[in-house]
Amino acid sequence: MSNSVPKLFGTLVFNDKVMKERLPKETYKALRHAVESGTALGIETANVIANAMKDWAIEKGATHYTHWFQPMTGITAEKHDGFLTPIGEGEVIMNFSGKELIKGEPDASSFPSGGIRATFEARGYTAWDPSSYAFIKNGALCIPTAFMSYTGEVLDKKTPLLRSMNVLGKQAARVLKLFGKNVAVNTTVGPEQEYFLIDRDMYLKRSDLMITGRTLLGARPPKGQELEDHYFGNIKPRVMAFMQDLDRELWKFGIYAKTRHNEVAPAQHELAPVFASVNIATDHNQLTMEIMKKVAEEHGLHCLLHEKPFAGVNGSGKHNNWSMSTSEGENLLSPGKNPENNLQFLLFLTAVIEAVDKHQDLLRLSVASAGNDHRLGANEAPPAIISIFLGDELTSILENIECGKPYCKKGGVKFTTGVDSIPLFTQDTTDRNRTSPFAFTGNKFEFRMLGSAVNISCPNVMINTAVAEALDSFAGKLEKSTDFEADVLKLIKTSYAKHKRIVFNGNNYSKEWEEEAAARGLLNLKSTPDALIRYDSEENVKMFEKFKIYTAAEIRAREEILLENYSKVLNIEALTMIDMVNKQILPAVYAFSSDLAEGVARKGACGVKAHAELDLLKKISALTDSAYDAAGKLSDTVIEAKGITDFKESAFFYRDNVLPAMQELRMSCDALETMTDRDYWPIPTYCDLLFY
């Protein structure tokens, strides 16, 4: 198998190697120039590329092509058209033109638009993104594309990402030019993907999992993750078989799947890829999630990507490892051996600190969702307060620059184990902080707030644009400098002093930090509605419009889409819960309590006291009444929520009224589960789902 990986890798991708082999030299050069310079391709060049793509795809068994895009649903979309073209009575040829490659026209009205497109205004456009390779999936040539309305508004997640990459690249290049470097800059990301695997037969017996992706009911099992024995533990044969097949499938798509292991919670696992350009990484992560589900089904499993599928154990996140690299291969966030003397690194580091502090709300709202609200704040998920972990060494360096003091570097400490046969190695200068939302981890920042199901484009749009704004400001000042080194140090000092409140190296879970963060003036946007209403703040609109990432109308549309999605998700969950309780849980408990009452009566007729049964019957009857009343209350609350037409008011109503009503109902039902005979309980329990 190991020898075949290089041969297998990228076999379903029309990548650079394939293009070099199949395109005329001049066509290939024109395509590379278009990608690197951001210029449009001519139709003649597009025709040549389209024909080569078609021939290659047909050889791979494809019969159709599709413009593969990422609408505001957060997942991908595709409409397949055949290569088949009639040429006469009963005759066809396989054809694909440059025009079909460059532009498609899917219906734009049926995707979320936040009011940008009315139902009767159906036309929209998909436009080829040549910076992301085409690939073959399910017998179709998939062409990564941007998606926009007939009037030009952005309706997808890819277009703003490409814009933000371009803007950050330009501003970073301005700064590097001042250091004597004429290079291009790209942002790179390695998104670690957490997920749960459960038995598919069990999954199919729970309507909450099928409809909402999470368990709306369920008592905690006797054993959860307390023993910490699942983390990095031996991988079960059934799961390993899934992981092996998953790797093989991902490698075919050119996805750099590298690391696999058990995560903390029972039945939880993780996959981590090698870094790639953020555009490629986003496409790859969307494909990864889709392929995970497909491969799991082939193994009789189901892959859960919800942020919190099970109460009481770890939720699933997606750690977004973000950095900047030059066309010469230099990582701009690599400190080097002597970071205290690396002015370029310190300047870029300071730009990130300023960006995160100024735009805490954007980073927070970029990960906001109904599912992620259940996850943030515990079980290795960072809290809702944005802060940066730098570690002791870098914090010390910046503090010394601010105070005008020289930094005294500590020598590397040799790590000893006390075992002679184990080689010595140098201890790192700082520890990791698993509670930090935005942690520096050696040569990158790990944004750890993302939920496992999120499309990573939005968080990276926010980071890219915010850092571009800081670099634009830095470049504008330094381009006027007469003493470059002194002015760089002055700029680092001034910016760090103003924005260092965002740096925190301690325990982000502690109550003391929450109080200290408030004293520092940091935001604590605990819920999705709290975060999303800040999308269209004056400062945010100004930044996005300046760098042409979004228009004010596009920002307002996204705010509306996301708030409506929050309300819709909670409405679906509430209705599912009501249905399960009324049609499954209560009837099961009625049957059990009826049989229990009959047993009590029989014993009583024999003159035997049924103390245990009677006591249990009373407790179950009381909880049954509570569950019945709570289900009715939840139903009434949902009806009231449906009458609210304002999308902001609706989101807050669902948060403040529907969610608490759901929790109240769950408490009664979960208590009933612990008392009801297993043979009567109608749905698989947490033990059934997590331990297979």
Side-chain angles (χ1 to χ4, degrees), residues 215 217-221 309-311 666 684-691:
T215 53
L217 305 168
R220 296 186 183 186
F310 302 101
R666 176 167 190 161
T685 65
Y686 273 25
C687 283
D688 299 325
L689 294 165
L690 293 172
F691 301 96

Side-chain angles (χ1 to χ4, degrees), residues 69-72 125-129 145-149 152-167 279 282-283 457 461 547-550 554 558:
F69 59 102
Q70 300 172 33
M72 288 298 295
Y125 297 117
T126 48
W128 175 37
D129 170 22
T145 56
F147 178 46
M148 61 205 71
S149 75
E153 292 96 348
V154 174
L155 296 177
D156 71 339
K157 292 179 176 287
K158 176 180 277 279
T159 308
L161 180 63
L162 293 172
R163 291 173 178 174
S164 73
M165 292 170 63
N166 184 49
V167 165
N279 182 34
T282 300
D283 287 356
S457 58
V461 167
F547 293 111
K548 297 181 172 57
I549 307 298
Y550 302 118
E554 289 167 347
R558 276 163 167 70

Side-chain angles (χ1 to χ4, degrees), residues 504-545:
F504 178 66
N505 294 331
N507 180 9
N508 288 256
Y509 288 165
S510 69
K511 183 68 177 176
E512 291 77 15
W513 166 235
E514 189 171 335
E515 294 168 355
E516 183 183 335
R520 292 187 185 191
L522 299 181
L523 297 172
N524 188 2
L525 306 173
K526 293 186 177 182
S527 73
T528 289
D530 290 326
L532 290 177
I533 60 172
R534 298 183 64 92
Y535 215 145
D536 62 350
S537 72
E538 184 179 349
E539 184 178 17
N540 291 336
V541 172
K542 182 179 178 182
M543 179 184 72
F544 285 131
E545 290 197 319

Side-chain angles (χ1 to χ4, degrees), residues 249-261:
E249 289 303 307
L250 295 177
W251 292 335
K252 291 177 188 177
F253 287 93
I255 296 171
Y256 306 108
K258 187 173 179 67
T259 303
R260 62 194 185 198
H261 63 84

